[in-house]
Amino acid sequence: MQRLLLNGFCKYSIFHRCSCTCGNCTSRRCLHVGSSRRYGECEPGFVKRILVKLSKAKLVKSTVGKSGGYGLAKSPNSISLLDIYSAVDAPDAFAIHTYPKRNECIISCNIKEVMGEVLASTQEAVRRDLVQTSLSDVVSKIRARSN
């Protein structure tokens, strides 16, 4: 049974790695949440919270017991990267400051609205790209690079 090694703190990246492992695994229960060393920088509790979100989104399912764990709830072909991105509440592409407006400054009075439009356009482009790629596509590309 394969186990997953994770590094970093990004929720989207964590699921991406979890799901690629599950998508590459022949067993229905291939992901186990264990000691923090197994997950590099990530605490098992953090990984578990991500997996709970994915379970609520019906992307993974859990099995309890000694041989329990997490596995994909549906085919990797039917899970888009947008499904993953949405399930884990991934952050926006960038943040817009929250400083108060200063009426004497034209930039201060308009920057939030202008950058808000840029952010909305960027997020829409990200969503368009993510919906076109399935988890299966990602796993296939990983396999191709490893040969």
Side-chain angles (χ1 to χ4, degrees):
M1 194 167 292
Q2 292 180 339
R3 296 193 190 261
L4 180 63
L5 298 174
L6 296 176
N7 292 311
F9 294 98
C10 178
K11 291 187 286 188
Y12 179 66
S13 177
I14 287 172
F15 175 67
H16 214 241
R17 292 176 189 186
C18 292
S19 55
C20 285
T21 297
C22 290
N24 195 34
C25 189
T26 56
S27 169
R28 296 299 256 170
R29 296 179 305 272
C30 61
L31 183 64
H32 302 274
V33 178
S35 71
S36 61
R37 290 206 186 280
R38 190 175 298 154
Y39 294 96
E41 301 279 330
C42 298
E43 292 295 324
F46 180 75
V47 175
K48 177 112 173 135
R49 284 190 300 274
I50 299 300
L51 289 168
V52 167
K53 288 181 179 186
L54 299 170
S55 183
K56 286 181 180 178
K58 300 192 184 330
L59 297 177
V60 300
K61 58 184 172 181
S62 65
T63 305
V64 297
K66 184 177 179 181
S67 62
Y70 288 86
L72 295 178
K74 49 188 178 178
S75 162
N77 259 350
S78 65
I79 299 174
S80 76
L81 295 186
L82 181 60
D83 295 332
I84 298 165
Y85 184 84
S86 300
V88 298
D89 302 320
D92 288 341
F94 60 88
I96 301 172
H97 76 82
T98 57
Y99 300 117
K101 290 182 182 179
R102 295 181 59 200
N103 291 333
E104 66 276 4
C105 178
I106 190 170
I107 294 172
S108 172
C109 290
N110 296 288
I111 193 72
K112 286 182 190 177
E113 291 79 11
V114 170
M115 292 308 295
E117 293 169 7
V118 172
L119 177 58
S121 174
T122 302
Q123 285 302 118
E124 185 55 36
V126 167
R127 289 177 173 284
R128 273 194 311 270
D129 286 348
L130 293 177
V131 78
Q132 294 175 7
T133 305
S134 72
L135 179 57
S136 180
D137 296 334
V138 174
V139 171
S140 295
K141 289 179 183 180
I142 290 170
R143 286 180 180 159
R145 286 178 178 251
S146 66
N147 293 331

